[in-house]
Amino acid sequence: MHADYQLIILGGGPAGLSAGLYAARGRVKALLIEKGAPGGQVLLTDWVDNYPGFAEGISGFELIDKMTAHVDRFGLEKKFTAVSKLDLRGPVKTVFLENGEQVTCLSIILCTGARPRTLGVVGEKELTGQGVSYCATCDGPFYKGQEIAVVGGGNTAIQEALHLTKFADKVTVIHRRDELRATKIVQEKAFANDRIDFLWNAQVSKIEGNANGVNNVKVAFKDGSTTDLAVTGIFILIGVAPNNEILPLDQLQVDDAGFILCNNEMETSIPGVYTAGDIRSKNFRQIVNAVGEAANAELSAEQFLAGQEHEAGQH
């Protein structure tokens, strides 16, 4: 069986870079493909304070720089180009690049990641990482003693609002309906917490701030009235969307939201195809578990490749 590479890794975020590191150190003939600069969602995070080994914290950019330098030290081959589609059927997998080129491999790790669902309002993009956040676990500790807002009404939003009360003096939940979608027990905890207020039938219309960060959120109600919230941070927790546009969803097993299903060894429903990071169907999306999953996926891929070589030798 001839293929250009033993292993191709799709995606250059923490998961992809970690898989690439293990592959390069394991002397696997591997290629990492990333459509833009390495980093993924980490680049949306101004400061990472919960990644082990960096006691004083580290910027998202610097963390990715260090990860990239690490894989470069072991000579990982990288290609920066967009992928148009994949064919994962059969023992040799084909990756079709947007420039018309095709590359083949015997195994592949899908680390295409996810993206937070956004509001699409004025100020959101400009102030992302400067008061606009999509991860309470990542950024909550920066808001000690401050007043902040949370957008959303599902389990994630309300659980994260409760988490944020460990740091903020006041958390205002902005929800577009007149009742929450979170489970009753989560709702009861939120309603009993005197640090959480609610704005019902409300939507954010604009996020305002300056070089120092967010300082105001404009809220519009269904009845036509408006109000201003003087907050220093806003957490937009309305879900995440999988970056699965290039994935052959007719070949892979995915959950209802389009995230890839796999077992504990990161094996998907297709032999030789693995996944790691935010594209994987799971409850928690953190840098540290993306890195661990990637190591698991690459080691599983190595086992698979060794088995293929053994079978070829027998024949």
Side-chain angles (χ1 to χ4, degrees), residues 14 21 79 82-83 117 140 162 169 171 187 191 256 264 266 292 295:
L21 174 64
K79 188 183 286 284
V83 171
R117 297 189 188 277
L162 286 161
D169 280 352
V171 177
Q187 290 188 40
F191 293 143
D256 291 341
N264 289 339
M266 306 301 127

Side-chain angles (χ1 to χ4, degrees), residues 64-77:
I64 292 301
D65 280 346
K66 288 181 178 294
M67 286 185 171
T68 304
H70 202 169
V71 298
D72 287 346
R73 177 182 153 212
F74 289 99
L76 176 68
E77 185 179 345

Side-chain angles (χ1 to χ4, degrees), residues 120-198:
V121 299
V122 174
E124 180 180 10
K125 185 177 180 181
E126 295 82 353
L127 291 163
T128 293
Q130 299 292 326
V132 174
S133 175
Y134 303 90
C135 179
T137 306
C138 311
D139 298 332
F142 300 123
Y143 294 92
K144 288 179 180 175
Q146 300 177 45
E147 295 191 6
I148 58 176
V150 166
V151 181
N155 272 332
T156 297
I158 305 308
Q159 286 170 339
E160 297 287 52
L162 286 161
H163 173 73
L164 289 166
T165 61
K166 296 178 182 178
F167 313 105
D169 280 352
K170 181 180 177 183
V171 177
T172 301
V173 174
I174 303 167
H175 187 43
R176 61 182 177 170
R177 298 186 176 91
D178 59 1
E179 61 180 7
L180 299 174
R181 291 178 291 110
T183 56
K184 290 298 181 185
I185 191 166
V186 173
Q187 290 188 40
E188 288 166 6
K189 288 179 181 178
F191 293 143
N193 192 309
D194 59 9
R195 289 194 177 191
I196 299 180
D197 283 347
F198 293 87

